[in-house]
């Protein structure tokens, strides 16, 4: 029985595998919403791909062109792999009528693409990761990356790029990685690089390019190394440059640059400037560089490039390296970068100035509202009023009857205020409040019937009681 099972299971598994490969997908393997058609010698995407597929693998085939509608009807696609084909072009509309915003991952590596065109990816606004390494790219259109609004990672290493539109990625909202290593970049546009967001500078891979050996590039790379950016610190040995532009005669930028560059200028000098809202501010670019070929440019916190002579809104740059903010606003706060560049000596220095814009009324010396003094004054006034009420209130003093028989009609009520012997002649008068008790009406004490209860300070008379009892009844002799 065991022997029979040992022979039966492999046969059943092989039969199931054959059925899966021949189930209408041209020999592809399918598992749930994943379809793999790798290594089948396909020259185009299969036409019978199920609409429920979310991950499609078409790598290691012979496709040379992606035509319009190649993925039509695949409305759930999230990942497409087209690596190791022979693609030379991606025609407009190739991804039209597909998942569009749902597609997050596209692998086009190891093909023969020569240009990255914006029209090829206009139907993929939700794309987050695009792999284009190991192609033959020589051109990247300016709008190609800008059209991918959700892009986070772009891999362009091992191509033939001699230029890249860095300005197109400067304001990209989500891009956190740009790999341009092992291309053919001869020089780096330092003004554009330093204006990139810090999150992108951390993962801007530039090693393996035939850069010219100059102090300006060295200082930028050295600064990124000091800041611990992985793009530089993880690939120190691969950041090389050509000495005097001679191919084959190269040196390493890091850790020891062969030229005599002033490394003390690498670390930017920090300074703080505080300006009131609406007021002007003048920022100075401190540098030890001198000469007729010295130029300056500034980069604002909003990544605006400002160079003399010129202005950018409320910012104005001058030939001496100063930057003027005409009317400071709250959004003008932040770190301003100044770069002093000596074109003849191929040297530069950088400085950062932290500007803080405070409200117009901040810092003024007003007479503050003294709460403690006001409270004390209120207490004194209240105390004076109480004393005036206790001792200066006019009261009619009645003569004590000679005997009980001569007592007036109010003596009965006055007797409840206490024994007559508690106070003697000449003692101070005290005002108390009488709480009348007796019959109760709706839960409230009335004045009719025998008087019961007690008298105590703070007990308030009902309005009817105030009309019945005379003022003299409230005074203790």
């Amino acid at each position: 029985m065991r022997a029979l099972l040992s022979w039966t299971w492999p046969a059943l598994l092989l039969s199931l595998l054959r059925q899966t490969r021949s189930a209408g997908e041209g020999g592809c393997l399918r598992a749930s919403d994943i379809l793999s058609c790798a290594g089948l010698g396909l020259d185009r995407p299969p036409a019978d791909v199920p609409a429920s597929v979310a991950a499609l693998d078409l790598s290691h085939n012979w496709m040379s062109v992606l035509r319009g509608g190649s993925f039509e009807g695949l409305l759930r696609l999230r990942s497409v792999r087209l690596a190791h084909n022979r693609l030379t072009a991606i025609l407009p509309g190739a991804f039209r009528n597909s998942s569009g915003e749902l597609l997050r991952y596209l692998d086009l590596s190891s093909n023969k693409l020569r240009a990255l065109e914006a029209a090829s990816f206009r139907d993929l606004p939700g794309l987050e990761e695009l792999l284009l390494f190991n192609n033959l790219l020589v051109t990247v259109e300016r709008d190609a990356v800008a059209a991918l609004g959700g892009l986070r990672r772009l891999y362009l290493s091992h191509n033939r790029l001699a230029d890249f539109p860095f300005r197109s990625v400067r304001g990209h909202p989500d891009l956190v990685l740009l790999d341009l290593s092992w291309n053919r970049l001869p020089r780096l546009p330092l003004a554009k690089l330093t204006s990139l967001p810090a999150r992108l500078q951390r993962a801007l891979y530039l090693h393996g390019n035939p850069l010219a050996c100059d102090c300006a590039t060295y200082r930028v790379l050295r600064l990124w190394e000091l800041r611990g950016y992985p793009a530089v610190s993880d690939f120190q040995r691969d950041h090389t440059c050509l000495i005097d532009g001679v191919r084959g005669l190269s040196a390493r930028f890091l850790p020891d640059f062969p030229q005599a560059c002033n490394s003390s200028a690498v670390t930017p000098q920090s300074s703080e400037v505080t300006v009131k809202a609406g007021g002007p501010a003048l920022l100075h670019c401190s540098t030890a560089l001198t000469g007729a070929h010295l130029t300056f440019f500034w980069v604002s916190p909003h990544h605006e490039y400002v160079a003399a002579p010129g202005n950018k809104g409320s910012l104005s740059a001058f030939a001496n390296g100063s930057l003027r903010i005409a009317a400071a606003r709250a959004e003008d706060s932040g770190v301003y970068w100044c770069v002093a560049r000596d074109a003849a000596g191929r040297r530069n220095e950088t400085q950062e100035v932290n500007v803080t814009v405070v409200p117009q009324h901040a810092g003024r010396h007003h007479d503050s509202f003294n709460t403690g003094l006001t409270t004390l004054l209120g207490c004194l006034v209240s105390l004076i009023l109480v004393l005036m009420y206790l001792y200066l209130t006019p009261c009619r003093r009645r003569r004590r009857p000679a005997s009980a028989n001569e007592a007036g009609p109010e003596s009965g009520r006055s007797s409840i205020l206490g024994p007559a012997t508690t106070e003697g002649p000449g003692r101070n008068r005290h005002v108390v409040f009488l709480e009348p008790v007796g019959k109760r009406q709706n839960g409230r004490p009335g004045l009719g019937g025998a008087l019961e209860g007690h008298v105590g300070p703070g007990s308030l008379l009902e309005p009817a009681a105030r009309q019945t009892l005379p003022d003299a009844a409230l005074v203790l002799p």
Side-chain angles (χ1 to χ4, degrees):
M1 187 66 175
R2 292 182 179 177
L4 179 61
L5 290 175
S6 62
W7 285 100
T8 303
W9 278 110
L12 291 175
L13 183 60
L14 181 60
S15 175
L16 181 61
L17 183 60
R18 288 175 179 175
Q19 291 178 7
T20 305
R21 279 189 172 272
S22 60
E25 289 101 17
C28 302
L29 287 173
R30 182 180 178 186
S32 183
D33 59 354
I34 302 174
L35 183 65
S36 176
C37 302
L40 298 181
L42 303 176
D43 59 356
R44 66 187 64 185
D48 52 357
V49 177
S52 60
V53 169
L56 180 59
D57 187 359
L58 299 173
S59 59
H60 295 277
N61 280 289
W62 295 348
M63 286 179 277
S64 59
V65 177
L66 286 181
R67 295 177 172 82
S70 295
F71 302 94
E72 186 172 2
L74 303 181
L75 302 179
R76 298 185 59 187
L77 276 182
R78 297 180 61 88
S79 172
V80 175
R81 299 177 183 272
L82 289 161
H84 295 279
N85 275 272
R86 302 176 182 180
L87 292 174
T88 58
I90 300 176
L91 301 182
F95 296 94
R96 189 176 302 158
N97 298 325
S98 64
S99 59
E101 292 185 359
L102 291 180
L103 190 62
R104 299 287 189 265
Y105 179 90
L106 180 59
D107 186 357
L108 294 169
S109 61
S110 300
N111 280 280
K112 299 181 182 299
L113 297 171
R114 292 183 174 273
L116 185 59
E117 301 175 354
S120 303
F121 305 101
R122 284 177 181 169
D123 302 313
L124 301 175
L127 193 64
E128 295 181 353
E129 195 162 352
L130 179 58
L131 281 67
L132 286 162
F133 60 85
N134 195 28
N135 273 273
L136 304 176
L137 292 174
V138 295
T139 303
V140 175
E141 290 187 0
R142 178 167 306 195
D143 298 333
V145 181
L148 300 173
L151 194 64
R152 295 181 57 83
R153 295 176 179 84
L154 178 59
Y155 299 88
L156 293 169
S157 63
H158 293 276
N159 278 283
R160 301 178 180 180
L161 296 174
D163 190 20
F164 183 82
F166 287 99
R167 190 179 297 273
S168 65
V169 301
R170 185 176 63 182
H172 206 285
D174 299 317
L175 194 63
V176 296
L177 185 147
L178 177 58
D179 187 359
L180 291 170
S181 60
W182 302 104
N183 275 276
R184 299 181 179 179
L185 300 175
R187 288 188 178 276
L188 298 179
L190 301 180
K192 297 177 181 178
L193 292 185
T194 55
S195 66
L196 295 177
R199 67 177 186 277
L200 184 54
Q201 293 183 31
R202 292 181 57 88
L204 177 58
Y205 295 89
L206 297 168
H207 59 276
N209 282 281
L211 300 173
C213 292
D214 61 76
C215 292
T217 305
Y218 162 70
R219 289 194 182 94
V220 172
L221 295 177
R222 177 62 175 159
L223 176 62
W224 289 351
E225 181 194 25
L226 292 175
R227 290 181 173 177
Y229 289 176
V232 177
S233 59
D234 293 349
F235 297 93
Q236 283 190 1
R237 299 177 61 88
D238 294 322
H239 282 90
T240 58
C241 59
L242 300 179
I243 300 178
D244 296 330
V246 179
R247 184 173 296 275
L249 186 59
S250 62
R252 292 177 182 169
F253 274 111
L254 304 171
D256 299 319
F257 192 58
Q259 297 185 14
C261 297
N262 182 13
S263 59
S264 62
V266 172
T267 305
Q269 305 172 26
S270 298
S271 60
E272 302 286 338
V273 173
T274 301
V275 58
K276 291 184 180 180
L282 188 63
L283 312 182
H284 300 283
C285 189
S286 301
T287 177
L289 300 178
T290 58
H293 302 283
L294 187 62
T295 58
F296 302 87
F297 68 86
W298 288 82
V299 180
S300 75
H302 302 290
H303 312 295
E304 297 172 328
Y305 173 79
V306 188
N311 62 78
K312 205 74 165 179
S314 63
L315 304 178
S316 302
F318 302 96
N320 64 352
S322 299
L323 179 72
R324 184 176 184 270
I325 304 176
R329 302 165 298 173
E331 53 266 30
D332 292 328
S333 297
V335 177
Y336 290 74
W337 277 80
C338 169
V339 178
R341 181 168 50 193
D342 182 7
R346 294 183 179 181
R347 298 181 302 165
N348 71 348
E349 289 184 2
T350 59
Q351 180 192 8
E352 63 180 33
V353 181
N354 188 17
V355 176
T356 303
V357 180
V358 298
Q360 186 64 244
H361 56 77
R364 293 182 180 178
H365 299 284
H366 297 288
D367 293 332
S368 59
F369 186 75
N370 194 325
T371 306
L373 180 60
T374 306
T375 303
L376 179 60
L377 181 60
C379 292
L380 291 176
V381 172
S382 300
L383 181 59
I384 293 174
L385 292 177
V386 171
L387 293 176
M388 291 175 63
Y389 180 72
L390 291 176
Y391 297 103
L392 300 181
T393 303
C395 298
R396 292 175 295 173
R397 180 179 181 83
R398 290 183 178 272
R399 183 181 300 173
R400 183 181 300 278
S403 63
N405 296 330
E406 299 178 2
E410 299 175 359
S411 61
R413 292 178 183 173
S414 299
S415 63
I416 67 173
L417 298 178
T421 58
T422 56
E423 297 267 354
R427 297 193 180 183
N428 293 333
R429 304 167 185 169
H430 297 278
V431 179
V432 296
F433 298 96
L434 174 64
E435 180 181 358
V437 294
K439 293 183 179 179
R440 297 180 178 271
Q441 300 173 354
N442 298 329
R444 308 177 81 180
L447 293 174
L451 293 175
E452 301 175 356
H454 63 278
V455 174
S459 301
L460 300 180
L461 292 173
E462 292 294 331
R466 295 175 183 168
Q467 297 175 4
T468 304
L469 296 178
D471 293 339
L474 301 178
V475 181
L476 283 176

